[in-house]
Amino acid sequence: MLKIINSEIYRLLRKKSMYVYFCSLAAGYFLVAFIRSGGFGPQSIVSDAFNFFNFLPVFAGGFLFSAIYTDDLSAKNLTLLVGFGTGKATIVLAKLILTALCGAAVFALAPLLLYVAHAALGWPAAAGTMATVCAVSLKYLLATLGYSALSGIAVYGLQRTTFAMVLYVLLALNVVSGLVTVLLVNVFGERLAQILTSCLLSGITDRILGGIISGGPIAPPAVEYVAYLAIAAAVSIAAFERKEMEF
Amino acid sequence: MKRKPVFLTIAVIAIVLVAIVALWGKQYYEDRYVGADYYAMVPPSFDATPEMMYSMSGGEVGLGKEYVLTAYDEHGEAREVEFNVYVDRSSLPQPGAFLHISASKQLVVRWRLTDADSIPEAALAQLSTQPN
Amino acid sequence: MAKTVMQTHNLSKNYGELLALNGVSLTLRQGDVYGLVGRNGAGKTTFFKCVMGLARPTAGAIEIGGGGIEIGGGGIEIGGGGISLSAARRKIGFMISPSFFPYLNPKESLEYLCRFKGIRVKGEIERLLALVGLDSVKKPFKAFSLGMKQRLGVAGALIGSPDIVVLDEPTNGLDPQGIIDMRAIIKNANTQTGTTFIVSSHILSELDLVATQFGFIEQGVLLTEISHADLHENTKETLTVEVNDSKKAHAALCRMGAECVIEDGRRLTLRSHLDRPHEIARALIDSGLELHGLHRQEATLEEYFIRMIGERDAKNN
């Protein structure tokens, strides 16, 4: 598994478009921050964290998902991994760990970017404020990892790049959770649906963030979150085992 | 052979364009959305009965009230502010109510009710001499 | 006899109604360059997919290096010789439609493979790139021609000096020089490091110059396995004699020591005396036979293959 992660990190670091893409995102944020800097205050960085990190699962996570998962399909790299005798469970887990590592790097740099931008524009954030910003970033990192794990089922079960990518984007844009919520409200009524939607990935990550910021319980949503990942990984492995490699 | 100078020229033009857009955008944003603090009082004679509000094109927008007030900054400098309040979004400020208003060069960015104790002295002095 | 390094036992693979592989029992011996010959869609790639674990066999078994056996049908994998089939597959390098990440250059592509396979042999990448003639190429894979992709695919298959190398149609898309180079690469690796190859192609004459062993596959059935020497024995020159009585002619020719076979009532085939047609003609006429025709024939490898398919079809009908 370590060898897969090692080789994958090697090739991801050589994907030049990744640097161009993330630098463009950072430059775009700097530009928007500069334009809005006249209205900045001590808490602006927190509202920016909520407003901008909300888009990271789509824009940053989407790129990572494409680079880690769907690049493999288009380069037929999965055939190489399987043909070398690598277990399909090992591949699924290695990819999930790799997504967590790359996501952690991106979502660790995001608060740093906000800090640098706000400091450069005359509003350096206090340590407490930065802690909140980091917590918001963590929420979206967890969401990104969860969406990747769920979309991974399409990658392994269908081996169709476009379908997997569309599924990821729909999850990251909360289209899927929106549809599920509407369905739950219609089937179970508003009250029960509210409880059930809190068990969706977006609800779980919200509860984790709430727990961190306001000191509420983190363990129950954290366990639910891990269960999400475990179930998604198990379904991915089962789907991968059933599906023959496409050429 | 000629690719490098062409690329450099395009890059320089792009950087200049981005800088122009950034500076123009910053100015526009600040003129429109960055507000300074002002204080106002709803005149005691103001009729706060909701009435139908209309858009520029003449369409009905909803019940509310248009407020055109003289507001003062912390130094007592006056300016006229104008904003609409719709009953389905917030309750209408009543006659005699004090308002803390954030107003940019172009519009009122936000407002909230406040009390006389929270108003800077110079502004409060002007408000207390305000005619009905 | 050389050690068996890979063997399949009655390997079958169905795709719904389609029988892509039908009881294929193939034996690959150490040091062989095994040419798997078959028309497009004959089952060559499916066979490789099963061997590499990319498709699950419907029935039969695969044995690699005496190390692992996979029983088809239930998909059961059992260990053998101390290692599992998955572990045994790590001794195989393969190229089935060469594909690498589009943004990596040849060196980076091979470095990726080295890291993934845990190979840390200094100079291995440079050696292989020189071997396939891509040592000076710096552009990314997406800018490669088909021939360059094939070459890099072969380099990827050879990385880490695997015991067995599987190459599916490695000469596809190559120009004549590229085909010659590819043969040289296979020959060099085979003679210098003793690597065993199994190479598929639908062009028999290409494999003829490099393969030591052949397997002919048609509609999922392995028709025969034959050595290079035996194949040429079956395809060497013959003399065809057309007379009014083939039995009488057979007796006359046997008397003069010729090796001949009666094809039908009027035709015989001679495998000896090929350089003495005038003596044969005289012997036949002296025996009172009417000689209608005497001509030299050479079966090409392709004709041999087509004849085998014909024989199979006749047997089936």
Side-chain angles (χ1 to χ4, degrees):
Chain A
M1 188 182 293
L2 284 177
K3 285 176 193 164
I4 297 178
I5 294 170
N6 178 19
S7 56
E8 287 285 281
I9 289 174
Y10 173 83
R11 66 115 175 149
L12 287 171
L13 290 175
R14 271 146 196 86
K15 191 175 167 75
K16 291 185 189 82
S17 62
M18 185 173 75
Y19 297 103
V20 174
Y21 183 79
F22 282 111
C23 286
S24 303
L25 282 187
Y29 175 73
F30 264 106
L31 187 66
V32 172
F34 173 74
I35 289 170
R36 294 162 49 251
S37 58
F40 276 177
Q43 289 301 308
S44 298
I45 194 169
V46 176
S47 57
D48 268 19
F50 276 102
N51 293 332
F52 287 94
F53 291 176
N54 185 31
F55 294 105
L56 283 184
V58 180
F59 289 108
F63 190 91
L64 284 181
F65 180 76
S66 158
I68 293 170
Y69 284 86
T70 58
D71 270 12
D72 250 3
L73 287 181
S74 34
K76 294 171 186 163
N77 197 49
L78 286 179
T79 59
L80 178 84
L81 301 179
V82 175
F84 189 60
T86 314
K88 290 179 176 174
T90 307
I91 295 170
V92 171
L93 294 176
K95 289 284 181 178
L96 206 53
I97 293 170
L98 184 68
T99 310
L101 290 174
C102 295
V106 170
F107 283 86
L109 286 173
L112 189 66
L113 169 75
L114 255 64
Y115 179 82
V116 170
H118 281 253
L121 295 167
W123 293 97
T129 311
M130 278 312 290
T132 307
V133 171
C134 291
V136 177
S137 182
L138 176 67
K139 170 197 150 62
Y140 289 109
L141 165 64
L142 295 177
T144 299
L145 188 56
Y147 299 144
S148 297
L150 290 171
S151 308
I153 297 169
V155 171
Y156 299 114
L158 301 172
Q159 293 180 29
R160 291 279 179 272
T161 316
T162 314
F163 187 87
M165 201 62 226
V166 168
L167 177 62
Y168 178 88
V169 171
L170 291 179
L171 283 165
L173 285 173
N174 287 323
V175 173
V176 175
S177 65
L179 290 174
V180 172
T181 306
V182 170
L183 190 76
L184 289 174
V185 169
N186 282 312
V187 175
F188 299 107
E190 197 124 346
R191 230 171 137 180
L192 190 54
Q194 203 171 5
I195 297 167
L196 292 172
T197 48
S198 72
C199 297
L200 293 175
L201 200 53
S202 48
I204 292 170
T205 52
D206 276 341
R207 279 153 57 210
I208 291 175
L209 175 64
I212 294 170
I213 291 177
S214 57
I218 295 176
V223 169
E224 288 171 44
Y225 178 77
V226 172
Y228 245 98
L229 292 190
I231 292 167
V235 175
S236 290
I237 293 165
F240 201 9
E241 291 288 354
R242 287 174 62 88
K243 176 77 179 168
E244 267 189 20
M245 303 303 303
E246 300 276 345
F247 279 86
Chain B
M1 281 293 174
K2 286 180 181 173
R3 279 180 68 180
K4 208 171 178 182
V6 171
F7 176 78
L8 274 176
T9 310
I10 292 171
V12 168
I13 292 171
I15 289 168
V16 170
L17 279 177
V18 168
I20 290 169
V21 168
L23 290 170
W24 175 84
K26 184 174 166 60
Q27 193 58 53
Y28 175 80
Y29 183 87
E30 286 180 5
D31 286 352
R32 196 160 176 83
Y33 299 111
V34 178
D37 288 337
Y38 285 89
Y39 302 89
M41 186 181 74
V42 181
S45 59
F46 183 79
D47 176 13
T49 313
E51 54 197 41
M52 183 52 70
M53 308 289 282
Y54 297 94
S55 67
M56 300 283 274
S57 58
E60 289 185 355
V61 181
L63 282 176
K65 199 75 191 168
E66 183 183 22
Y67 290 80
V68 182
L69 306 171
T70 304
Y72 301 91
D73 68 8
E74 57 186 342
H75 306 296
E77 295 290 328
R79 72 167 275 194
E80 192 171 80
V81 294
E82 189 180 327
F83 59 98
N84 294 335
V85 181
Y86 296 95
V87 291
D88 58 345
R89 290 177 215 169
S90 68
S91 55
L92 300 180
Q94 294 301 306
F98 288 107
L99 303 175
H100 181 176
I101 293 166
S102 177
S104 72
K105 279 184 185 169
Q106 296 176 7
L107 47 85
V108 169
V109 180
R110 73 187 81 84
W111 62 267
R112 63 180 171 83
L113 291 172
T114 188
D115 50 50
D117 297 341
S118 309
I119 299 175
E121 273 179 27
L124 189 61
Q126 293 288 350
L127 289 173
S128 52
T129 59
Q130 192 174 278
N132 284 348
Chain C
M1 186 174 271
K3 186 176 91 172
T4 298
V5 289
M6 191 184 85
Q7 208 165 9
T8 62
H9 308 275
N10 290 315
L11 196 67
S12 295
K13 173 70 187 171
N14 294 10
Y15 290 105
E17 296 284 299
L18 177 76
L19 202 57
L21 287 180
N22 186 2
V24 172
S25 295
L26 181 148
T27 304
L28 183 66
R29 292 197 175 77
Q30 193 164 38
D32 273 353
V33 176
Y34 190 110
L36 187 62
V37 185
R39 293 187 285 191
N40 290 331
K44 304 184 293 289
T45 303
T46 306
F47 175 77
F48 288 149
K49 281 172 78 172
C50 289
V51 167
M52 299 314 304
L54 305 174
R56 194 180 289 281
T58 313
I62 303 162
E63 198 177 347
I64 298 170
I69 258 195
E70 184 173 279
I71 310 294
I76 310 153
E77 197 172 287
I78 56 167
I83 56 167
S84 67
L85 188 64
S86 294
R89 285 191 177 112
R90 286 175 203 151
K91 297 176 181 176
I92 302 179
F94 72 100
M95 183 198 74
I96 304 174
S97 66
S99 197
F100 291 89
F101 292 102
Y103 41 84
L104 298 184
N105 67 31
K107 194 175 176 189
E108 289 166 347
S109 297
L110 295 189
E111 176 65 32
Y112 174 85
L113 290 181
C114 278
R115 284 170 186 253
F116 160 61
K117 293 184 176 184
I119 296 160
R120 286 182 191 165
V121 181
K122 209 179 168 193
E124 174 77 344
I125 293 170
E126 289 75 13
R127 179 184 75 81
L128 286 169
L129 288 176
L131 185 73
V132 297
L134 293 175
D135 42 344
S136 59
V137 178
K138 302 281 181 252
K139 59 185 176 183
F141 185 73
K142 64 183 168 196
F144 275 26
S145 67
L146 184 57
M148 291 167 83
K149 287 178 179 175
Q150 294 281 57
R151 287 161 186 263
L152 187 60
V154 171
L158 289 170
I159 210 156
S161 305
D163 294 347
I164 305 168
V165 173
V166 173
L167 302 176
D168 189 20
E169 305 271 7
T171 53
N172 257 5
L174 294 185
D175 56 27
Q177 184 58 49
I179 293 172
I180 293 168
D181 292 347
M182 187 63 74
R183 279 200 295 259
I185 291 165
I186 295 170
K187 262 189 177 162
N188 284 345
N190 178 249
T191 50
Q192 287 171 12
T193 61
T195 308
T196 306
F197 281 86
I198 177 162
V199 186
S200 78
S201 179
H202 58 279
I203 306 168
L204 182 52
S205 52
E206 268 173 22
L207 288 178
D208 184 43
L209 295 167
V210 68
T212 56
Q213 187 78 15
F214 289 93
F216 293 92
I217 191 165
E218 172 64 14
Q219 291 182 351
V221 177
L222 187 67
L223 300 174
T224 187
E225 286 188 291
I226 190 167
S227 71
H228 184 267
D230 288 345
L231 178 67
H232 279 266
E233 184 62 29
N234 285 330
T235 56
K236 71 181 182 185
E237 276 188 332
T238 56
L239 270 180
T240 300
V241 177
E242 289 173 22
V243 287
N244 58 335
D245 184 345
S246 59
K247 278 187 184 168
K248 197 173 168 188
H250 184 260
L253 293 172
C254 285
R255 273 199 300 277
M256 66 177 289
E259 189 189 319
C260 62
V261 180
I262 298 170
E263 298 291 344
D264 54 40
R266 302 171 68 85
R267 227 154 39 101
L268 298 100
T269 302
L270 277 91
R271 294 194 184 281
S272 63
H273 294 66
L274 302 183
D275 51 347
R276 284 179 279 169
H278 55 287
E279 285 181 21
I280 289 162
R282 186 180 302 280
L284 292 170
I285 289 164
D286 288 351
S287 303
L289 288 154
E290 292 171 20
L291 181 61
H292 298 299
L294 175 64
H295 42 91
R296 193 182 284 260
Q297 261 193 339
E298 184 176 15
T300 62
L301 297 174
E302 274 78 12
E303 281 167 341
Y304 175 78
F305 177 49
I306 288 162
R307 198 168 73 205
M308 262 194 317
I309 295 171
E311 281 169 10
R312 174 183 170 271
D313 289 346
K315 210 190 285 178
N316 287 347
N317 293 334

